Amino acid sequence: MPISFLLMVNKQGQTRLSSYYEWISMAERTALESEIIRKCLSRSELQCSFLEYRGYKVVYRRYASLFFIVGTKPSPEEEENPENELGLLEFIHTLVETMDKWAGSICELDIMYQLEQVHFLLDEMVMNGFIVETNKANILRPLDLMERESQKAESMYR
């Protein structure tokens, strides 16, 4: 399975968004998240953005005050994880660029106050752990349509 989880974390280590594409128990999720976040935040900017932890290949990137962390794990029939680290780094970059286009300049508050839209945007890009769309216009079109319809509904009641 290509992507097992995606995390958005602030510099203090608080998870702002988590999306899992394989079943992991809540206790294991919490432990895994805290350990991976601690590992990523403790690394210097001079170190590479890839690490292996508990069988996961973890790729992360820091944008302003947010860390975007993607974890992949090989499927049971594979011994080695075939996922391309640079491809995942490019996916993170595309995700951030798309969020910037959607919200102006993406920040932690945008994610906190518009969590549903961020999940929707992420669901447009990733389905079942597979990256299905990278075209920013195609990703943002459904969000724009939803926004337009909600504005119509609001104006109808005034």
Side-chain angles (χ1 to χ4, degrees):
M1 176 176 245
I3 296 178
S4 300
F5 60 85
L6 185 134
L7 306 172
M8 292 182 199
V9 180
N10 67 11
K11 287 192 289 188
Q12 288 77 36
Q14 298 167 316
T15 304
R16 294 302 177 199
L17 178 136
S18 64
S19 189
Y20 287 84
Y21 301 101
E22 67 176 23
W23 189 87
I24 302 173
S25 69
M26 281 307 292
E28 192 178 336
R29 265 185 202 192
T30 307
L32 182 70
E33 260 183 51
S34 64
E35 292 164 8
I36 286 178
I37 290 169
R38 200 172 312 114
K39 285 221 180 267
C40 291
L41 268 61
S42 67
R43 294 169 66 92
S44 77
E45 290 183 20
L46 300 175
Q47 291 177 298
C48 77
S49 298
F50 318 134
L51 61 104
E52 295 218 7
Y53 185 74
R54 275 210 221 163
Y56 289 95
K57 190 181 284 187
V58 179
V59 178
Y60 69 95
R61 181 94 189 252
R62 179 180 168 193
Y63 286 93
S65 66
L66 286 171
F67 283 83
F68 292 78
I69 304 170
V70 176
T72 68
K73 196 173 195 175
S75 59
E77 59 270 357
E78 296 172 319
E79 285 182 25
E80 197 172 307
N81 194 335
E83 200 60 41
N84 183 346
E85 293 94 345
L86 294 175
L88 289 175
L89 208 54
E90 187 60 33
F91 164 71
I92 292 171
H93 186 69
T94 303
L95 174 63
V96 172
E97 281 184 336
T98 306
M99 292 172 85
D100 276 343
K101 193 172 180 183
W102 164 69
S105 180
I106 193 71
C107 67
E108 187 178 343
L109 291 175
D110 291 324
I111 293 170
M112 289 172 58
Y113 292 123
Q114 300 179 38
L115 190 61
E116 187 177 345
Q117 286 94 334
V118 175
H119 271 288
F120 191 83
L121 188 145
L122 188 58
D123 289 344
E124 287 293 313
M125 294 181 78
V126 181
M127 191 173 295
N128 234 8
F130 294 94
I131 299 168
V132 293
E133 185 64 73
T134 57
N135 184 314
K136 293 177 198 85
N138 290 345
I139 295 165
L140 293 173
R141 189 173 298 120
L143 280 168
D144 291 340
L145 289 172
M146 285 185 355
E147 182 67 28
R148 242 185 275 146
E149 288 301 316
S150 70
Q151 287 175 353
K152 278 185 196 174
E154 286 173 10
S155 66
M156 198 165 60
Y157 295 113
R158 288 184 185 172

